[in-house]
């Protein structure tokens, strides 16, 4: 993006917008993905565009949860591929976890395109094309998934999500980790662990925690997870945002 000088105070944000825009032109991101990105930006602005302490704790607990899982799956949509394709592949390899493309605005063409892109960027196996199972109680196309992937997972990481699927996955007895900048969303409030952070920071942060915690014994990790209180953490995020806004004026 030549016309934006690096010294521009919103440089990072403008570069990210450009990535999303191009990913939409290339057919990875759905048009409404731009709107979702805008909502995310607004909440990122409120938290100061940094990983706040509550998010860091959530990322650490998410890493523990993923390491303790028997069949973890990372769900990938258009915005995630546009912003963090390489990072999400690295995270899946580190855990190790399966990658599955699951789209709200599902078309065979988008599914194929995104799977191909992930493979181009280094992913070995990507689920999502089979669509040989359905998440009960979910009427949208988001309900279509792979038997070997999300359908049989015990822990699902859902970066950048709309609320319905999170609730439906929970109803199936799965543990859901969500990355959502909006702490008020249904996803944020219904997930087991909510990471209120930008996927751009959250995904590499979880990978760092995976590396640090990989050699911990399972009991220590399970003890950490047992004490996690997601509601309390969301309250802390809302207090952080209010204090931050008040301190600006
Ligand atoms: O690729 P598809 O077809 O699966 O479509 C995906 C979108 C994003 C269009 C679809 O899931 C959607 O409409 O999502 P929502 O309901 O707008 O929810 C997206 C949530 O993600 C909102 O709460 C945003 O605040 C949040 N969000 C947006 N960008 C980011 C984010 N959270 C973390 N990091 C971001 N970069």
């Amino acid at each position: 993006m030549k016309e934006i000088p690096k010294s521009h105070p919103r440089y990072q944000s403008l570069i990210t917008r450009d990535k999303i825009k191009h990913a939409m032109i290339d057919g990875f991101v759905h048009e409404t993905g731009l709107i979702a990105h805008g909502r995310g930006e607004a909440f990122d602005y409120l938290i100061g565009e940094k990983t706040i302490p509550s998010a860091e704790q959530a990322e650490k607990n998410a890493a523990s949860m993923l390491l303790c899982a028997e069949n973890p799956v990372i769900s990938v949509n258009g915005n995630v591929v546009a912003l963090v394709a390489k990072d999400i592949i690295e995270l899946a390899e580190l855990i190790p976890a399966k990658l599955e493309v699951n789209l709200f605005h599902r078309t065979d063409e988008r599914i194929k395109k995104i799977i191909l892109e992930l493979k181009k960027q280094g992913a070995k196996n990507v689920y999502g094309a089979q669509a040989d199972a359905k998440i009960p109680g979910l009427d949208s196309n988001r309900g279509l998934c792979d038997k070997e992937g999300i359908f049989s997972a015990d822990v699902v990481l859902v970066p950048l999500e709309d609320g319905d699927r999170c609730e439906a996955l929970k109803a199936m007895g799965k543990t859901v980790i969500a990355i959502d900048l909006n702490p008020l969303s249904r996803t944020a409030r219904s997930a087991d662990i909510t990471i209120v952070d930008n996927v751009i920071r959250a995904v590499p942060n979880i990978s760092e925690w995976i590396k640090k915690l990989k050699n911990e014994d399972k009991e220590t990790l399970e003890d950490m997870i047992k004490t996690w209180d997601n509601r309390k953490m969301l309250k802390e995020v809302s207090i952080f945002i209010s204090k931050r806004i008040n301190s600006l004026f």
Side-chain angles (χ1 to χ4, degrees):
M1 202 185 181
K2 280 190 190 113
E3 66 273 28
I4 303 293
K6 278 208 165 138
S7 56
H8 193 292
R10 307 286 315 149
Y11 178 76
Q12 209 48 54
S13 165
L14 293 171
I15 288 292
T16 307
R17 282 185 179 186
D18 206 48
K19 271 192 194 168
I20 285 275
K21 181 189 89 179
H22 283 291
M24 192 204 78
I25 294 166
D26 292 341
F28 302 124
V29 169
H30 188 262
E31 290 91 322
T32 59
L34 302 188
I35 300 166
H37 182 74
R39 188 193 297 168
E41 272 191 345
F43 281 101
D44 208 11
Y45 208 87
L46 292 178
I47 61 168
E49 296 170 314
K50 283 194 186 100
T51 300
I52 64 173
S54 317
E56 184 76 48
Q57 279 312 305
E59 283 153 4
K60 183 178 181 185
N61 274 270
S64 303
M65 188 75 89
L66 289 163
L67 285 170
C68 290
E70 276 174 21
N71 190 10
V73 176
I74 302 175
S75 181
V76 179
N77 68 8
N79 291 46
V80 170
V81 165
L83 299 178
V84 283
K86 278 234 180 305
D87 297 311
I88 210 93
I89 296 165
E90 192 199 345
L91 175 62
E93 274 171 10
L94 281 169
I95 298 168
K98 292 172 183 165
L99 284 172
E100 175 162 342
V101 178
N102 176 280
L103 303 177
F104 184 71
H105 302 283
R106 184 185 177 106
T107 61
D108 286 345
E109 198 196 343
R110 275 188 80 214
I111 292 274
K112 274 187 207 145
K113 249 191 186 164
I114 294 175
I115 291 179
L116 199 69
E117 178 64 15
L118 286 166
K119 289 195 171 164
K120 239 198 244 169
Q121 301 228 23
K124 287 181 192 82
N125 197 11
V126 184
Y127 293 83
Q130 295 284 328
D132 51 1
K134 208 170 174 318
I135 301 168
L138 199 56
D139 293 332
S140 71
N141 277 345
R142 259 225 199 280
L144 294 172
C145 63
D146 280 18
K147 217 182 270 175
E148 292 279 301
I150 287 173
F151 193 78
S152 51
D154 56 346
V155 175
V156 188
L157 172 64
V158 288
L160 223 152
E161 166 79 351
D162 50 66
D164 291 6
R165 188 172 57 136
C166 182
E167 286 167 358
L169 290 172
K170 291 273 300 160
M172 284 178 86
K174 300 183 193 301
T175 298
V176 180
I177 302 167
I179 305 174
D180 191 341
L181 277 161
N182 177 5
L184 310 172
S185 74
R186 258 181 319 137
T187 301
R189 287 180 291 124
S190 56
D192 294 277
I193 298 179
T194 307
I195 299 166
V196 184
D197 202 359
N198 198 316
V199 289
I200 294 171
R201 300 185 296 270
V203 175
N205 284 351
I206 303 171
S207 288
E208 284 310 306
W209 279 114
I210 295 279
K211 288 179 205 160
K212 282 182 202 154
L213 297 172
K214 211 164 182 133
N215 296 321
E216 284 286 349
D217 56 278
K218 215 174 163 192
E219 245 173 54
T220 311
L221 297 178
E222 279 168 353
D223 284 348
M224 192 196 302
I225 300 161
K226 265 187 226 151
T227 59
W228 180 254
D229 184 339
N230 209 52
R231 235 184 130 73
K232 184 166 162 260
M233 180 279 304
L234 288 175
K235 241 186 196 136
E236 282 166 11
V237 173
S238 85
I239 293 167
F240 181 95
I241 292 174
S242 329
K243 278 194 182 160
R244 189 167 177 275
I245 294 173
N246 281 327
S247 75
L248 293 175
F249 306 105

